[in-house]
Amino acid sequence: MPDNIVVGGVSVDTRHWIGGRRVASSETFTDVSPIDGGTIGEISRGTALEAAAAVAAAKAAFPAWAATSRAERARILHAIADGVEKRIEELSIVETTDNGALLRSHRRGVIPRVAHNFRFFADWLLKLEHEDFETRGHTNHVSWDPAGPSVLITPWNAPLMLATWKVAPALAAGNTVVLKPAEWSPLTASLLADIAAEAGLPAGVLNVVQGYGSEIGDALTSHPDVRRISFTGSVPTAKRIAESAAGHLTPLSLELGGKSPLLVFADADLDLAVDLAVEQYDNAGQVCLAATRFLVEESVAEEFTRRFVEKAATLTQGDPRDETTDIGPNIHPRQLEKIDAFVQRALAAGARAVIGGHRKDTQYYAPTLLTDVAQDSEIVQEEVFGPVLTLQTFSTEEEAVRLANDTRFGLAATLATGDAERAERVTEQLVAGTVWVNCFFVRDLQAPFGGSRHSGVGREGGTWSFDFYCDVKNTVTAPNGWKNHG
Protein backbone atom coordinates (compact mmCIF):
# COMPACT_ATOMS: atom_id res chain seq x y z
CA MET A 1 0.00 0.00 0.00
CA PRO A 2 1.42 3.45 -0.88
CA ASP A 3 1.98 5.76 2.08
CA ASN A 4 0.45 8.68 0.21
CA ILE A 5 -2.50 9.22 -2.08
CA VAL A 6 -3.16 12.24 -4.27
CA VAL A 7 -6.59 13.83 -3.92
CA GLY A 8 -7.35 16.68 -6.31
CA GLY A 9 -3.63 17.32 -6.65
CA VAL A 10 -3.09 17.24 -2.87
CA SER A 11 -0.84 14.58 -1.31
CA VAL A 12 -2.36 12.95 1.77
CA ASP A 13 -0.54 10.46 3.99
CA THR A 14 -2.70 7.39 4.63
CA ARG A 15 -0.89 6.29 7.78
CA HIS A 16 -1.64 7.08 11.42
CA TRP A 17 0.18 9.89 13.22
CA ILE A 18 1.47 8.60 16.57
CA GLY A 19 4.15 10.11 18.75
CA GLY A 20 5.30 12.51 16.07
CA ARG A 21 5.80 9.94 13.32
CA ARG A 22 3.82 8.08 10.70
CA VAL A 23 2.76 4.54 11.59
CA ALA A 24 1.27 2.06 9.13
CA SER A 25 -1.11 -0.79 9.91
CA SER A 26 -0.93 -4.21 8.33
CA GLU A 27 -4.52 -3.88 7.09
CA THR A 28 -6.40 -1.06 5.38
CA PHE A 29 -9.92 0.16 4.74
CA THR A 30 -11.20 1.74 1.54
CA ASP A 31 -12.09 5.42 1.51
CA VAL A 32 -14.80 6.17 -1.05
CA SER A 33 -15.87 9.56 -2.41
CA PRO A 34 -19.60 10.28 -2.08
CA ILE A 35 -19.45 12.39 -5.24
CA ASP A 36 -19.26 9.44 -7.60
CA GLY A 37 -18.72 6.38 -5.42
CA GLY A 38 -15.17 6.04 -6.67
CA THR A 39 -12.30 4.81 -4.51
CA ILE A 40 -10.10 7.57 -3.13
CA GLY A 41 -7.53 5.25 -1.58
CA GLU A 42 -6.65 2.64 1.01
CA ILE A 43 -6.23 3.97 4.56
CA SER A 44 -4.33 2.37 7.46
CA ARG A 45 -6.84 0.45 9.55
CA GLY A 46 -6.07 0.85 13.22
CA THR A 47 -6.25 -1.92 15.80
CA ALA A 48 -6.07 -1.98 19.58
CA LEU A 49 -2.28 -1.91 19.21
CA GLU A 50 -2.28 1.45 17.43
CA ALA A 51 -4.87 2.78 19.85
CA ALA A 52 -2.71 1.81 22.82
CA ALA A 53 0.39 3.29 21.19
CA ALA A 54 -1.40 6.58 20.60
CA VAL A 55 -2.58 6.81 24.21
CA ALA A 56 0.93 5.94 25.41
CA ALA A 57 2.36 8.71 23.23
CA ALA A 58 -0.19 11.17 24.57
CA LYS A 59 0.58 10.14 28.15
CA ALA A 60 4.32 10.53 27.63
CA ALA A 61 3.91 13.98 26.08
CA PHE A 62 1.42 15.24 28.66
CA PRO A 63 3.70 16.43 31.51
CA ALA A 64 5.76 18.72 29.29
CA TRP A 65 2.77 20.08 27.38
CA ALA A 66 0.81 20.66 30.60
CA ALA A 67 3.79 22.59 31.99
CA THR A 68 4.09 24.70 28.84
CA SER A 69 3.10 28.31 29.53
CA ARG A 70 -0.24 29.60 28.39
CA ALA A 71 1.50 32.10 26.13
CA GLU A 72 3.52 29.39 24.39
CA ARG A 73 0.51 27.12 23.94
CA ALA A 74 -1.41 30.04 22.46
CA ARG A 75 1.48 30.85 20.13
CA ILE A 76 1.54 27.31 18.75
CA LEU A 77 -2.24 27.26 18.28
CA HIS A 78 -2.00 30.50 16.30
CA ALA A 79 0.77 28.91 14.23
CA ILE A 80 -1.54 25.98 13.48
CA ALA A 81 -4.22 28.47 12.40
CA ASP A 82 -1.65 30.13 10.11
CA GLY A 83 -0.93 26.73 8.57
CA VAL A 84 -4.61 26.07 7.98
CA GLU A 85 -5.09 29.46 6.33
CA LYS A 86 -2.17 28.81 3.99
CA ARG A 87 -3.81 25.55 2.88
CA ILE A 88 -7.49 26.53 2.70
CA GLU A 89 -7.76 25.57 -0.96
CA GLU A 90 -6.04 22.20 -0.47
CA LEU A 91 -8.06 21.37 2.63
CA SER A 92 -11.29 22.38 0.88
CA ILE A 93 -10.61 20.19 -2.15
CA VAL A 94 -9.75 17.16 -0.01
CA GLU A 95 -12.71 17.65 2.32
CA THR A 96 -15.21 17.98 -0.52
CA THR A 97 -13.84 14.89 -2.24
CA ASP A 98 -13.98 12.94 1.01
CA ASN A 99 -17.36 13.94 2.45
CA GLY A 100 -19.27 15.52 -0.44
CA ALA A 101 -20.10 18.88 1.13
CA LEU A 102 -20.05 21.95 -1.10
CA LEU A 103 -16.62 23.13 -2.20
CA ARG A 104 -17.75 26.76 -2.11
CA SER A 105 -18.86 26.35 1.50
CA HIS A 106 -15.54 24.82 2.47
CA ARG A 107 -13.59 27.61 0.79
CA ARG A 108 -15.63 30.51 2.11
CA GLY A 109 -16.77 29.38 5.53
CA VAL A 110 -16.03 25.93 6.87
CA ILE A 111 -12.23 25.73 6.51
CA PRO A 112 -11.69 29.37 7.56
CA ARG A 113 -13.72 28.43 10.64
CA VAL A 114 -11.13 25.70 11.33
CA ALA A 115 -8.45 28.38 11.65
CA HIS A 116 -10.81 30.48 13.78
CA ASN A 117 -11.31 27.54 16.16
CA PHE A 118 -7.59 27.56 16.96
CA ARG A 119 -7.33 31.33 17.21
CA PHE A 120 -10.39 31.67 19.42
CA PHE A 121 -9.30 29.12 22.01
CA ALA A 122 -5.72 30.40 21.96
CA ASP A 123 -6.99 33.88 22.77
CA TRP A 124 -9.59 32.67 25.28
CA LEU A 125 -6.87 30.77 27.13
CA LEU A 126 -4.92 33.97 27.69
CA LYS A 127 -7.87 35.72 29.30
CA LEU A 128 -9.26 32.71 31.17
CA GLU A 129 -9.65 33.72 34.81
CA HIS A 130 -12.03 33.94 37.71
CA GLU A 131 -11.92 36.81 40.15
CA ASP A 132 -10.60 35.88 43.59
CA PHE A 133 -13.25 36.08 46.29
CA GLU A 134 -13.30 36.17 50.07
CA THR A 135 -14.80 33.78 52.58
CA ARG A 136 -14.52 34.98 56.20
CA GLY A 137 -11.26 36.66 55.37
CA HIS A 138 -9.90 33.69 53.41
CA THR A 139 -9.00 34.10 49.72
CA ASN A 140 -10.45 31.73 47.11
CA HIS A 141 -8.51 31.36 43.87
CA VAL A 142 -9.97 29.34 40.95
CA SER A 143 -7.58 27.73 38.44
CA TRP A 144 -7.86 25.37 35.47
CA ASP A 145 -5.37 22.48 35.57
CA PRO A 146 -4.77 20.29 32.47
CA ALA A 147 -6.60 16.99 32.95
CA GLY A 148 -4.54 14.59 30.84
CA PRO A 149 -4.74 12.60 27.58
CA SER A 150 -8.03 13.20 25.78
CA VAL A 151 -9.74 10.96 23.23
CA LEU A 152 -11.72 12.90 20.65
CA ILE A 153 -14.06 10.96 18.35
CA THR A 154 -15.46 13.03 15.52
CA PRO A 155 -18.19 12.69 12.86
CA TRP A 156 -18.16 12.68 9.07
CA ASN A 157 -20.56 15.51 8.25
CA ALA A 158 -18.08 18.38 8.91
CA PRO A 159 -14.90 16.42 9.58
CA LEU A 160 -12.16 18.99 10.09
CA MET A 161 -14.29 21.80 11.50
CA LEU A 162 -15.89 19.57 14.15
CA ALA A 163 -12.59 17.86 14.92
CA THR A 164 -10.87 21.16 15.61
CA TRP A 165 -13.84 22.36 17.66
CA LYS A 166 -12.57 19.68 20.08
CA VAL A 167 -8.83 19.60 19.34
CA ALA A 168 -8.28 23.35 19.76
CA PRO A 169 -9.70 23.71 23.30
CA ALA A 170 -8.17 20.41 24.43
CA LEU A 171 -4.71 21.55 23.34
CA ALA A 172 -5.25 25.05 24.71
CA ALA A 173 -6.20 23.53 28.05
CA GLY A 174 -2.85 21.73 28.18
CA ASN A 175 -4.16 18.28 27.38
CA THR A 176 -2.67 15.88 24.86
CA VAL A 177 -4.96 14.39 22.25
CA VAL A 178 -5.79 11.17 20.45
CA LEU A 179 -8.07 12.06 17.55
CA LYS A 180 -10.13 9.31 15.96
CA PRO A 181 -11.79 10.65 12.77
CA ALA A 182 -14.82 9.02 11.17
CA GLU A 183 -13.86 6.23 8.81
CA TRP A 184 -16.04 7.71 6.04
CA SER A 185 -14.03 10.98 6.02
CA PRO A 186 -10.54 10.52 7.50
CA LEU A 187 -8.34 12.54 5.16
CA THR A 188 -8.25 16.06 6.56
CA ALA A 189 -7.37 14.75 10.02
CA SER A 190 -4.18 13.41 8.47
CA LEU A 191 -3.46 16.80 6.91
CA LEU A 192 -4.10 18.46 10.28
CA ALA A 193 -1.37 16.30 11.81
CA ASP A 194 1.06 17.61 9.18
CA ILE A 195 0.03 21.21 9.79
CA ALA A 196 0.35 20.86 13.57
CA ALA A 197 3.82 19.34 13.28
CA GLU A 198 4.94 22.11 10.94
CA ALA A 199 3.62 24.65 13.47
CA GLY A 200 5.90 23.24 16.15
CA LEU A 201 3.44 21.19 18.19
CA PRO A 202 5.63 18.73 20.15
CA ALA A 203 5.58 15.04 19.25
CA GLY A 204 2.84 13.08 20.99
CA VAL A 205 0.69 16.11 21.83
CA LEU A 206 -1.62 15.36 18.87
CA ASN A 207 -2.05 11.80 17.64
CA VAL A 208 -4.38 10.61 14.87
CA VAL A 209 -5.61 7.01 14.70
CA GLN A 210 -7.76 5.93 11.75
CA GLY A 211 -10.09 2.97 11.54
CA TYR A 212 -13.44 1.56 12.52
CA GLY A 213 -14.95 2.56 15.81
CA SER A 214 -16.14 -1.00 16.34
CA GLU A 215 -12.52 -2.17 16.20
CA ILE A 216 -10.60 0.51 18.09
CA GLY A 217 -13.23 2.53 19.92
CA ASP A 218 -13.29 0.49 23.11
CA ALA A 219 -9.49 0.34 23.26
CA LEU A 220 -9.49 4.14 23.34
CA THR A 221 -12.48 4.88 25.55
CA SER A 222 -11.79 2.21 28.18
CA HIS A 223 -8.09 3.00 28.53
CA PRO A 224 -7.13 3.84 32.14
CA ASP A 225 -4.76 6.62 31.06
CA VAL A 226 -7.44 8.57 29.20
CA ARG A 227 -8.82 11.42 31.31
CA ARG A 228 -11.35 13.02 28.95
CA ILE A 229 -13.54 11.72 26.11
CA SER A 230 -15.43 13.97 23.73
CA PHE A 231 -17.71 12.41 21.13
CA THR A 232 -20.03 13.72 18.44
CA GLY A 233 -22.30 11.18 16.82
CA SER A 234 -25.24 8.88 17.38
CA VAL A 235 -27.05 8.02 20.59
CA PRO A 236 -26.40 4.24 20.36
CA THR A 237 -22.66 4.80 19.94
CA ALA A 238 -22.64 7.30 22.80
CA LYS A 239 -24.22 4.70 25.09
CA ARG A 240 -21.47 2.22 24.23
CA ILE A 241 -18.82 4.86 24.88
CA ALA A 242 -20.37 5.76 28.22
CA GLU A 243 -20.38 2.10 29.27
CA SER A 244 -16.76 1.76 28.19
CA ALA A 245 -15.69 4.92 30.05
CA ALA A 246 -17.56 4.02 33.22
CA GLY A 247 -14.91 1.56 34.40
CA HIS A 248 -12.48 4.43 35.05
CA LEU A 249 -15.08 7.18 35.61
CA THR A 250 -13.64 9.05 32.64
CA PRO A 251 -15.52 12.34 32.16
CA LEU A 252 -17.52 12.58 28.94
CA SER A 253 -18.78 15.31 26.66
CA LEU A 254 -21.39 13.99 24.24
CA GLU A 255 -22.98 15.94 21.38
CA LEU A 256 -25.56 13.64 19.88
CA GLY A 257 -28.52 13.56 17.56
CA GLY A 258 -31.33 15.99 17.07
CA LYS A 259 -34.89 16.20 15.83
CA SER A 260 -35.17 19.93 16.10
CA PRO A 261 -38.34 21.91 15.35
CA LEU A 262 -38.90 25.04 13.28
CA LEU A 263 -41.93 26.82 14.75
CA VAL A 264 -43.65 29.21 12.34
CA PHE A 265 -46.34 31.45 13.81
CA ALA A 266 -48.92 33.33 11.77
CA ASP A 267 -47.35 36.64 12.76
CA ALA A 268 -43.96 35.65 11.29
CA ASP A 269 -42.40 37.14 8.18
CA LEU A 270 -43.29 34.23 5.90
CA ASP A 271 -40.55 34.96 3.39
CA LEU A 272 -38.01 34.79 6.22
CA ALA A 273 -39.64 31.63 7.58
CA VAL A 274 -39.43 29.96 4.17
CA ASP A 275 -35.80 30.96 3.78
CA LEU A 276 -35.04 29.42 7.18
CA ALA A 277 -36.96 26.29 6.20
CA VAL A 278 -35.16 25.75 2.89
CA GLU A 279 -31.83 26.27 4.66
CA GLN A 280 -32.46 22.97 6.46
CA TYR A 281 -31.39 21.15 3.29
CA ASP A 282 -27.84 22.43 3.86
CA ASN A 283 -25.16 19.72 3.51
CA ALA A 284 -27.79 17.37 2.06
CA GLY A 285 -29.60 17.44 5.43
CA GLN A 286 -26.57 16.02 7.22
CA VAL A 287 -26.53 18.61 9.99
CA CYS A 288 -27.22 17.62 13.57
CA LEU A 289 -28.73 21.04 14.34
CA ALA A 290 -31.12 21.00 11.38
CA ALA A 291 -34.73 21.93 12.11
CA THR A 292 -36.21 18.91 10.39
CA ARG A 293 -39.71 19.22 11.90
CA PHE A 294 -41.75 22.17 10.61
CA LEU A 295 -44.53 23.16 13.00
CA VAL A 296 -46.65 25.77 11.24
CA GLU A 297 -49.71 27.63 12.50
CA GLU A 298 -52.80 26.35 10.68
CA SER A 299 -53.88 29.72 9.30
CA VAL A 300 -50.64 30.15 7.30
CA ALA A 301 -49.72 26.51 6.66
CA GLU A 302 -51.05 26.40 3.10
CA GLU A 303 -49.30 29.62 2.10
CA PHE A 304 -46.08 28.59 3.83
CA THR A 305 -46.10 25.25 2.04
CA ARG A 306 -46.71 26.88 -1.35
CA ARG A 307 -43.83 29.30 -0.91
CA PHE A 308 -41.57 26.57 0.44
CA VAL A 309 -42.17 24.35 -2.58
CA GLU A 310 -41.44 27.26 -4.93
CA LYS A 311 -38.23 28.12 -3.09
CA ALA A 312 -37.04 24.50 -2.85
CA ALA A 313 -37.56 24.10 -6.60
CA THR A 314 -34.83 26.69 -7.21
CA LEU A 315 -32.19 24.56 -5.49
CA THR A 316 -29.64 22.81 -7.68
CA GLN A 317 -28.55 19.33 -6.66
CA GLY A 318 -25.39 17.87 -8.11
CA ASP A 319 -21.61 17.80 -8.03
CA PRO A 320 -20.48 19.69 -4.90
CA ARG A 321 -17.41 20.99 -6.75
CA ASP A 322 -19.65 23.05 -9.03
CA GLU A 323 -20.14 26.63 -7.80
CA THR A 324 -23.83 26.53 -8.79
CA THR A 325 -24.65 23.45 -6.70
CA ASP A 326 -26.79 23.95 -3.57
CA ILE A 327 -27.18 20.35 -2.41
CA GLY A 328 -24.53 17.69 -2.81
CA PRO A 329 -24.55 13.92 -2.29
CA ASN A 330 -25.12 11.99 0.87
CA ILE A 331 -21.98 10.63 2.47
CA HIS A 332 -22.25 6.91 1.70
CA PRO A 333 -24.54 4.37 -0.02
CA ARG A 334 -25.38 2.92 3.40
CA GLN A 335 -26.55 6.33 4.59
CA LEU A 336 -28.62 6.75 1.43
CA GLU A 337 -30.26 3.38 2.05
CA LYS A 338 -31.02 4.39 5.63
CA ILE A 339 -32.60 7.66 4.50
CA ASP A 340 -34.74 5.98 1.86
CA ALA A 341 -35.88 3.30 4.30
CA PHE A 342 -37.14 6.00 6.68
CA VAL A 343 -39.05 7.71 3.89
CA GLN A 344 -40.56 4.55 2.41
CA ARG A 345 -41.77 3.40 5.83
CA ALA A 346 -43.33 6.82 6.39
CA LEU A 347 -45.08 6.74 3.02
CA ALA A 348 -46.35 3.24 3.70
CA ALA A 349 -47.76 4.49 7.01
CA GLY A 350 -49.76 7.23 5.26
CA ALA A 351 -47.40 10.17 4.91
CA ARG A 352 -47.60 12.27 1.74
CA ALA A 353 -44.54 13.52 -0.12
CA VAL A 354 -45.14 17.15 -1.09
CA ILE A 355 -41.77 17.08 -2.83
CA GLY A 356 -39.18 14.34 -3.20
CA GLY A 357 -39.67 11.04 -1.43
CA HIS A 358 -37.20 9.09 -3.56
CA ARG A 359 -33.57 8.60 -4.49
CA LYS A 360 -32.18 10.42 -7.47
CA ASP A 361 -29.40 7.84 -7.97
CA THR A 362 -26.91 5.89 -5.90
CA GLN A 363 -25.36 9.01 -4.30
CA TYR A 364 -28.11 11.63 -4.14
CA TYR A 365 -31.47 11.80 -2.37
CA ALA A 366 -34.14 14.16 -3.61
CA PRO A 367 -34.98 16.99 -1.17
CA THR A 368 -38.11 15.76 0.56
CA LEU A 369 -41.00 17.27 2.53
CA LEU A 370 -43.53 14.93 4.11
CA THR A 371 -46.95 15.88 5.48
CA ASP A 372 -49.80 13.88 7.03
CA VAL A 373 -47.44 12.49 9.65
CA ALA A 374 -48.47 11.47 13.15
CA GLN A 375 -46.65 12.92 16.15
CA ASP A 376 -45.74 9.45 17.43
CA SER A 377 -44.54 8.20 14.02
CA GLU A 378 -40.96 7.14 13.42
CA ILE A 379 -40.36 9.87 10.82
CA VAL A 380 -41.26 12.55 13.39
CA GLN A 381 -39.49 10.98 16.34
CA GLU A 382 -36.22 9.62 14.92
CA GLU A 383 -33.24 11.40 13.32
CA VAL A 384 -32.98 10.68 9.58
CA PHE A 385 -29.83 12.71 8.84
CA GLY A 386 -30.67 13.40 5.23
CA PRO A 387 -32.65 15.94 3.16
CA VAL A 388 -35.96 14.84 4.67
CA LEU A 389 -38.29 17.27 6.46
CA THR A 390 -41.78 16.91 7.92
CA LEU A 391 -44.58 19.44 8.28
CA GLN A 392 -47.27 19.49 10.96
CA THR A 393 -49.70 22.20 11.96
CA PHE A 394 -50.81 23.68 15.27
CA SER A 395 -53.61 25.99 16.33
CA THR A 396 -52.36 27.44 19.63
CA GLU A 397 -49.08 28.52 21.15
CA GLU A 398 -49.45 25.84 23.80
CA GLU A 399 -49.88 23.14 21.18
CA ALA A 400 -46.82 24.40 19.29
CA VAL A 401 -44.65 24.13 22.41
CA ARG A 402 -46.05 20.70 23.25
CA LEU A 403 -45.31 19.33 19.77
CA ALA A 404 -41.87 20.94 19.71
CA ASN A 405 -40.85 19.29 22.98
CA ASP A 406 -42.45 15.93 22.25
CA THR A 407 -39.37 13.94 21.23
CA ARG A 408 -36.51 12.38 23.18
CA PHE A 409 -34.11 14.94 21.73
CA GLY A 410 -33.32 18.51 22.71
CA LEU A 411 -30.43 19.82 20.64
CA ALA A 412 -31.82 22.97 19.04
CA ALA A 413 -34.98 24.81 18.02
CA THR A 414 -35.76 27.61 15.57
CA LEU A 415 -38.60 30.07 16.01
CA ALA A 416 -40.15 32.43 13.44
CA THR A 417 -42.44 35.08 14.89
CA GLY A 418 -43.04 38.81 14.69
CA ASP A 419 -44.00 39.08 18.36
CA ALA A 420 -41.10 39.69 20.77
CA GLU A 421 -43.17 38.78 23.81
CA ARG A 422 -44.24 35.50 22.22
CA ALA A 423 -40.63 34.74 21.33
CA GLU A 424 -39.63 35.20 24.96
CA ARG A 425 -42.51 33.06 26.25
CA VAL A 426 -41.91 30.23 23.81
CA THR A 427 -38.12 30.09 24.06
CA GLU A 428 -38.36 29.83 27.85
CA GLN A 429 -40.44 26.68 27.42
CA LEU A 430 -38.49 24.95 24.63
CA VAL A 431 -36.22 22.05 25.60
CA ALA A 432 -33.09 22.75 23.58
CA GLY A 433 -29.42 23.58 24.01
CA THR A 434 -29.65 26.34 21.39
CA VAL A 435 -32.68 28.36 20.27
CA TRP A 436 -32.61 30.65 17.24
CA VAL A 437 -35.26 33.35 16.88
CA ASN A 438 -35.83 34.58 13.31
CA CYS A 439 -32.40 33.26 12.30
CA PHE A 440 -30.54 29.97 11.99
CA PHE A 441 -27.03 28.61 12.53
CA VAL A 442 -25.59 31.79 14.03
CA ARG A 443 -22.77 30.37 16.18
CA ASP A 444 -20.31 32.09 18.49
CA LEU A 445 -17.54 30.04 20.08
CA GLN A 446 -17.91 31.82 23.41
CA ALA A 447 -21.50 30.57 23.75
CA PRO A 448 -22.34 27.26 25.44
CA PHE A 449 -23.08 24.46 23.01
CA GLY A 450 -24.64 21.07 23.69
CA GLY A 451 -27.91 19.23 23.91
CA SER A 452 -30.58 18.25 26.40
CA ARG A 453 -32.16 14.83 26.90
CA HIS A 454 -30.78 12.32 24.37
CA SER A 455 -29.08 15.10 22.42
CA GLY A 456 -26.09 15.13 24.68
CA VAL A 457 -24.28 15.50 27.96
CA GLY A 458 -22.40 18.65 28.93
CA ARG A 459 -21.62 21.96 27.27
CA GLU A 460 -18.58 23.17 25.36
CA GLY A 461 -17.59 26.58 24.04
CA GLY A 462 -15.71 29.44 25.68
CA THR A 463 -15.04 28.81 29.35
CA TRP A 464 -17.34 25.77 29.28
CA SER A 465 -14.74 24.00 27.10
CA PHE A 466 -11.99 24.67 29.63
CA ASP A 467 -14.30 23.54 32.45
CA PHE A 468 -14.55 20.20 30.66
CA TYR A 469 -11.00 19.70 29.46
CA CYS A 470 -9.47 20.82 32.78
CA ASP A 471 -9.64 19.88 36.41
CA VAL A 472 -11.07 23.07 37.88
CA LYS A 473 -9.42 23.77 41.23
CA ASN A 474 -10.22 26.17 44.05
CA THR A 475 -7.37 27.15 46.39
CA VAL A 476 -8.35 28.70 49.74
CA THR A 477 -5.68 30.64 51.59
CA ALA A 478 -5.93 31.72 55.22
CA PRO A 479 -5.14 35.34 56.14
CA ASN A 480 -1.98 36.24 58.00
CA GLY A 481 -0.64 32.69 57.81
CA TRP A 482 2.82 33.52 56.53
CA LYS A 483 5.94 33.36 58.67
CA ASN A 484 8.28 36.29 58.39
CA HIS A 485 11.62 35.00 57.21
CA GLY A 486 13.10 38.48 56.90
Side-chain angles (χ1 to χ4, degrees), residues 100 102 104 278 281-285 312 315-320 324-329 364-365 367 387:
L102 301 184
R104 72 167 191 251
V278 172
Y281 287 131
D282 183 47
N283 202 18
L315 298 175
T316 299
Q317 188 170 26
D319 192 322
T324 64
T325 296
D326 300 303
I327 304 176
Y364 297 81
Y365 204 85

Side-chain angles (χ1 to χ4, degrees), residues 347-359:
L347 294 174
R352 180 173 67 90
V354 179
I355 59 172
H358 57 84
R359 305 183 196 206

Side-chain angles (χ1 to χ4, degrees), residues 28-310:
T28 64
F29 65 93
T30 303
D31 188 25
V32 174
S33 176
I35 298 174
D36 56 9
T39 296
I40 298 174
E42 295 297 317
I43 312 299
S44 275
R45 180 173 172 173
T47 67
L49 292 176
E50 286 84 9
V55 174
K59 181 182 179 182
F62 174 67
W65 183 244
T68 300
S69 69
R70 286 187 177 192
E72 178 62 7
R73 274 185 254 152
R75 185 194 68 78
I76 292 176
L77 263 63
H78 275 293
I80 295 173
D82 291 341
V84 169
E85 288 176 344
K86 290 175 183 176
R87 301 183 70 177
I88 284 177
E89 182 66 15
E90 294 180 10
L91 291 166
S92 298
I93 289 170
V94 172
E95 196 83 297
T96 292
T97 304
D98 208 16
N99 91 320
L102 301 184
L103 180 58
R104 72 167 191 251
S105 295
H106 283 139
R107 284 171 170 158
R108 299 171 190 171
V110 179
I111 303 303
R113 170 63 181 270
V114 169
H116 176 64
N117 286 345
F118 284 104
R119 296 201 191 283
F120 173 87
F121 286 106
D123 293 341
W124 200 266
L125 169 65
L126 296 180
K127 63 183 180 181
L128 181 67
E129 63 178 353
H130 190 293
E131 287 188 8
D132 290 353
F133 55 99
E134 298 293 319
T135 305
R136 297 189 300 277
H138 295 64
T139 300
N140 293 263
H141 176 73
V142 176
S143 57
W144 286 262
D145 295 348
S150 302
V151 167
L152 312 179
I153 304 173
T154 55
W156 44 258
N157 57 322
L160 189 58
M161 195 275 285
L162 291 178
T164 55
W165 161 253
K166 301 176 187 295
V167 170
L171 295 181
N175 292 358
T176 50
V177 165
V178 178
L179 171 62
K180 193 281 179 191
E183 58 266 27
W184 285 351
S185 56
L187 300 183
T188 49
S190 180
L191 293 176
L192 177 64
D194 295 335
I195 292 170
E198 292 166 4
L201 190 69
V205 175
L206 172 64
N207 306 274
V208 178
V209 181
Q210 303 151 158
Y212 295 110
S214 59
E215 296 177 351
I216 61 175
D218 186 67
L220 292 172
T221 57
S222 66
H223 200 292
D225 292 330
V226 171
R227 293 315 313 140
R228 292 294 186 272
I229 299 169
S230 182
F231 168 73
T232 298
S234 71
V235 172
T237 301
K239 289 180 178 180
R240 291 194 293 271
I241 290 172
E243 291 173 356
S244 179
H248 299 288
L249 295 178
T250 308
L252 297 167
S253 177
L254 305 172
E255 194 263 281
L256 309 177
K259 197 68 180 176
S260 302
L262 165 60
L263 292 81
V264 179
F265 287 91
D267 56 25
D269 177 337
L270 273 193
D271 286 334
L272 171 64
V274 168
D275 286 345
L276 295 174
V278 172
E279 194 174 347
Q280 308 312 312
Y281 287 131
D282 183 47
N283 202 18
Q286 299 167 144
V287 177
C288 59
L289 293 161
T292 56
R293 294 185 295 131
F294 298 167
L295 304 176
V296 185
E297 193 162 354
E298 286 177 351
S299 61
V300 295
E302 184 176 345
E303 179 64 14
F304 171 87
T305 303
R306 183 186 67 78
R307 295 193 198 184
F308 175 85
V309 170
E310 288 180 355

Side-chain angles (χ1 to χ4, degrees), residues 278-485:
V278 172
E279 194 174 347
Q280 308 312 312
Y281 287 131
D282 183 47
N283 202 18
Q286 299 167 144
V287 177
C288 59
L289 293 161
T292 56
R293 294 185 295 131
F294 298 167
L295 304 176
V296 185
E297 193 162 354
E298 286 177 351
S299 61
V300 295
E302 184 176 345
E303 179 64 14
F304 171 87
T305 303
R306 183 186 67 78
R307 295 193 198 184
F308 175 85
V309 170
E310 288 180 355
K311 183 80 173 181
T314 67
L315 298 175
T316 299
Q317 188 170 26
D319 192 322
R321 296 166 296 192
D322 190 324
E323 279 283 316
T324 64
T325 296
D326 300 303
I327 304 176
N330 289 99
I331 184 72
H332 194 277
R334 277 180 21 212
Q335 184 66 15
L336 201 73
E337 290 170 7
K338 176 184 172 185
I339 293 166
D340 192 50
F342 268 112
V343 172
Q344 299 313 314
R345 288 193 297 268
L347 294 174
R352 180 173 67 90
V354 179
I355 59 172
H358 57 84
R359 305 183 196 206
K360 295 188 74 172
D361 55 32
T362 57
Q363 304 300 131
Y364 297 81
Y365 204 85
T368 296
L369 176 66
L370 301 177
T371 60
D372 301 335
V373 291
Q375 179 61 24
D376 62 353
S377 64
E378 177 191 54
I379 199 68
V380 169
Q381 293 293 325
E382 298 298 327
E383 185 178 47
V384 178
F385 222 60
V388 178
L389 311 171
T390 62
L391 188 149
Q392 299 164 272
T393 61
F394 63 85
S395 57
T396 66
E397 186 177 298
E398 293 73 20
E399 184 184 13
V401 171
R402 178 181 62 79
L403 292 173
N405 289 338
D406 187 21
T407 74
R408 64 193 174 109
F409 297 104
L411 187 56
T414 303
L415 172 64
T417 179
D419 186 331
E421 292 182 358
R422 165 175 278 155
E424 184 175 356
R425 282 195 310 271
V426 172
T427 55
E428 286 179 351
Q429 299 175 73
L430 293 174
V431 179
T434 300
V435 179
W436 286 288
V437 180
N438 294 327
C439 60
F440 177 67
F441 220 54
V442 178
R443 293 277 304 278
D444 191 310
L445 285 177
Q446 65 184 314
F449 179 75
S452 304
R453 296 176 176 167
H454 281 205
S455 286
V457 174
R459 295 292 184 270
E460 296 187 38
T463 301
W464 287 275
S465 286
F466 289 95
D467 288 346
F468 172 69
Y469 286 109
C470 292
D471 290 323
V472 183
K473 179 168 64 184
N474 186 45
T475 301
V476 185
T477 304
N480 305 318
W482 310 114
K483 291 184 179 180
N484 186 351
H485 298 287

